[in-house]
Amino acid sequence: MNTTGTAAPATGSPVSTVPGPTASGTPASGTQTSGTPAPGPATARPAVPAWPAPASGDESVHRELFRLNRTPLDSRLLARIEEIERDWIIPLVRSLESATEPVADRAGWQRLLAGLLAGERAGNPAGEYLAEQASREEFALVVREFALDGLTEAQNFFPAVPRLPIKAQMAVMRVLIDEFGCGNLQQAHSQLYRLLLAELGLPQEPEHFLDTTGDETFQFLNVFYWLTQRAPHTEYFLGALAYLEASIPDAFTHQARACERLGIRYGRYYTEHLHIDTFHMREMQLAIKEYEAAYGLEPTRLWTGARLLSRLIGGAFDAAVARARESSGGVAA
């Protein structure tokens, strides 16, 4: 899972936090001696972010699923996740598979992916509106809608790694290393999104966006938890991520143009993807090639994964722009 926190101490006998004497018998530095006042209470540590259910108990299943995907699981919670996915993602995948002809080989998959990308590149009314006409307030609403994605970017990809052969693992890990800025906070994609949120006067921690995110976006977020952890075949994940990395350079052109037009300084989150995802696109095709060499390949599953993600992310983006146009007065920017 992607929930972060501070490691708990090991179980067993309590460990003293007061230094003992040195080998020579003299008190170690920091040891309390007679006449020295006892230290005051320890400073309280910040709470680990939590994902509570709404007090009203009224939430959509997709919001609930996102919360559970970010929560340490027991058997009861896992059963609830599987129940939601059984009614949502499983029928969706089956419908996509039943509506497509089998894909013969990896070359056929690459041709189909190229055709899908070309069709999306040809026209996107929501993207064109955002790039050329959206106000700063409308743009901020779209940024807010995808905050849970930007602030948790790529965290849910890691469980797929052990399901891949070693050479495919290396290709996917090169993608993930870039997503996390090669360990440099200022280059990490989630940090770039925080800077963008701050410029727009929005919160910078994920838990603030549970109540402002639409179901379409929650579905896009949730699908990768299924793809990486519970999907029966890893090809679904490989096809979905290959599509995502190949589509982002064109898709984010709209946001980059909007940032330039609106004078938004921290549009680098988008322009960085225009550059780096061209490299990631090649790495994902290499990962698929290495998967085939080690395990064999069912290309139809790659194509299903790509179409699945195209449907979910396209629906989320169109809905986000539509909502922003309807209610652009609600965000301070």
Side-chain angles (χ1 to χ4, degrees):
M1 281 300 170
N2 306 310
T3 306
T4 58
T6 304
T11 57
S13 301
V15 178
S16 172
T17 58
V18 180
T22 64
S24 65
T26 59
S29 173
T31 303
Q32 183 180 334
T33 58
S34 177
T36 303
T43 303
R45 293 183 298 175
V48 176
W51 303 92
S56 66
D58 182 22
E59 69 176 339
S60 73
V61 293
H62 298 294
R63 182 187 191 278
E64 179 188 2
L65 182 57
F66 180 78
R67 284 195 305 101
L68 296 178
N69 277 324
R70 303 284 298 181
T71 301
L73 298 178
D74 56 23
S75 58
R76 179 182 61 84
L77 295 179
L78 180 57
R80 176 57 179 155
I81 284 177
E82 292 176 334
E83 178 185 13
I84 295 172
E85 291 177 342
R86 188 165 54 247
D87 293 337
W88 165 57
I89 192 67
I90 304 303
L92 181 54
V93 170
R94 286 175 178 164
S95 70
L96 288 169
E97 289 189 320
S98 65
T100 188
E101 295 294 325
V103 182
D105 52 27
R106 188 160 50 86
W109 137 255
Q110 291 173 334
R111 287 192 297 271
L112 288 168
L113 177 62
L116 175 61
L117 295 169
E120 294 179 349
R121 195 180 302 122
N124 183 328
E128 287 302 315
Y129 178 84
L130 190 68
E132 304 298 341
Q133 301 180 55
S135 67
R136 186 181 178 92
E137 291 76 17
E138 289 171 330
F139 182 78
L141 282 167
V142 174
V143 171
R144 186 184 73 175
E145 178 65 33
F146 286 98
L148 284 175
D149 175 43
L151 293 173
T152 66
E153 185 163 332
Q155 292 176 7
N156 50 2
F157 294 171
F158 285 96
V161 173
R163 303 179 67 184
L164 301 171
I166 185 64
K167 290 184 179 180
Q169 288 180 19
M170 296 302 100
V172 171
M173 283 304 302
R174 286 190 290 271
V175 174
L176 296 180
I177 286 168
D178 282 338
E179 303 287 354
F180 288 86
C182 300
N184 181 343
L185 175 64
Q186 298 309 314
Q187 304 296 329
H189 293 180
S190 59
Q191 178 64 10
L192 298 179
Y193 210 89
R194 281 187 175 87
L195 295 173
L196 175 62
L197 289 166
E199 181 177 359
L200 295 171
L202 295 166
Q204 287 101 64
E205 295 304 325
E207 57 269 23
H208 291 287
F209 297 96
L210 274 175
D211 294 329
T212 60
T213 301
D215 271 0
E216 298 89 351
T217 303
F218 278 126
Q219 290 181 60
F220 162 59
L221 293 168
N222 286 329
V223 72
F224 270 108
Y225 291 94
W226 179 79
L227 287 166
T228 59
Q229 297 177 61
R230 291 175 292 277
H233 305 289
T234 315
E235 290 109 319
Y236 293 133
F237 164 75
L238 290 171
L241 188 54
Y243 162 79
L244 182 64
E245 299 294 349
S247 66
I248 287 297
D250 287 314
F252 274 9
T253 299
H254 300 109
Q255 286 92 328
R257 284 161 55 194
C259 287
E260 183 177 6
R261 176 176 59 82
L262 295 168
I264 294 171
R265 293 174 53 219
Y266 287 106
R268 188 181 162 208
Y269 173 80
Y270 302 112
T271 57
E272 176 69 11
H273 283 81
L274 302 185
H275 158 69
I276 201 66
D277 281 357
T278 301
F279 164 73
H280 292 172
M281 172 177 60
R282 294 194 296 268
E283 289 292 343
M284 287 310 303
Q285 292 300 334
L286 177 60
I288 291 168
K289 179 180 178 182
E290 297 295 355
Y291 186 94
E292 180 179 38
Y295 295 161
L297 188 71
E298 177 44 74
T300 306
R301 294 176 187 144
L302 298 173
W303 180 227
T304 298
R307 294 172 64 214
L308 174 67
L309 200 66
S310 173
R311 173 181 293 193
L312 293 178
I313 195 172
F317 180 74
D318 289 348
V321 173
R323 280 194 291 269
R325 296 183 70 172
E326 292 170 1
S327 57
S328 60
V331 170

